[in-house]
Amino acid sequence: MSDISVDLNGYRINLRVAAIVTRGADVLLCRFRGQDWWFLPGGRIKTNEDSHSALRRELTEEIGVGFEVIRPAVIVENFFDLDGTHFHEICTIYEVEWISDEIHSKEKSSSEIFEWIPRNGVSDINLKPDLIKKYIIKPNAHFELVIHREFSERD
């Protein structure tokens, strides 16, 4: 199976899944080594894979099996630029509870760094996309669709 990521009409179109993983008053965030911004754990959905299965696969690869998926919380249709590439990304974000003691990554040489951050400290960090902060700090009881553009509409 291949990642659902297609270059089309000047955009990279990604279908992704991510998780707001909580442990008590903390949330798990990750970043790439050498980067100063954080993001939610997750990754691309593969062809013929539903978002729930993709989430379980990605989290198991990244942090191990010590989690419980609670519910889908928000779908973010995100338009942004990164490293000179225009992105149109659709990401389903789930609420997930960490139920184990330690994180056990299957990827030993990962370039990603995972860290537990206090929820009340999330507003002070560089998180992409920034709009996710409100879903971490004060979770919404209702499922939501958010359309977010970092730039004005293009042709």
Side-chain angles (χ1 to χ4, degrees):
M1 293 190 292
S2 300
D3 289 347
I4 300 177
S5 181
V6 178
D7 290 329
L8 185 65
N9 297 327
Y11 285 85
R12 177 154 303 144
I13 301 165
N14 286 331
L15 192 53
R16 297 192 79 247
V17 65
I20 298 172
V21 181
T22 58
R23 178 184 70 182
D26 296 335
V27 64
L28 185 67
L29 299 179
C30 56
R31 67 178 174 84
F32 292 112
R33 294 185 195 282
Q35 295 290 341
D36 67 345
W37 51 274
W38 296 85
F39 55 95
L40 296 174
R44 290 193 181 103
I45 297 172
K46 296 187 179 294
T47 54
N48 198 34
E49 183 178 47
D50 62 82
S51 65
H52 187 266
S53 297
L55 179 75
R56 295 194 67 76
R57 176 183 51 77
E58 285 288 345
L59 291 182
T60 299
E61 290 171 1
E62 292 178 354
I63 61 175
V65 296
F67 62 89
E68 180 181 339
V69 178
I70 306 300
R71 68 180 189 93
V74 60
I75 292 179
V76 177
E77 189 169 355
N78 196 12
F79 298 83
F80 62 98
D81 292 340
L82 181 63
D83 298 331
T85 302
H86 305 308
F87 283 84
H88 178 171
E89 187 169 271
I90 300 171
C91 183
T92 304
I93 300 172
Y94 284 80
E95 288 180 3
V96 173
E97 182 179 355
W98 186 253
I99 56 175
S100 185
D101 293 331
E102 295 182 35
I103 294 174
H104 298 285
S105 174
K106 284 187 174 179
E107 300 174 9
K108 300 296 181 198
S109 62
S110 176
S111 62
E112 293 177 326
I113 298 168
F114 293 88
E115 190 172 321
W116 291 105
I117 308 286
R119 274 188 201 228
N120 60 8
V122 168
S123 59
D124 299 328
I125 66 170
N126 184 5
L127 181 66
K128 295 190 182 238
D130 190 68
L131 67 97
I132 297 303
K133 289 179 180 180
K134 77 176 193 175
Y135 297 96
I136 294 171
I137 296 166
K138 187 177 179 188
N140 189 343
H142 306 297
F143 183 73
E144 197 169 337
L145 168 66
V146 175
I147 298 173
H148 176 256
R149 291 183 182 271
E150 285 188 3
F151 50 78
S152 60
E153 291 188 43
R154 295 189 170 106
D155 296 356

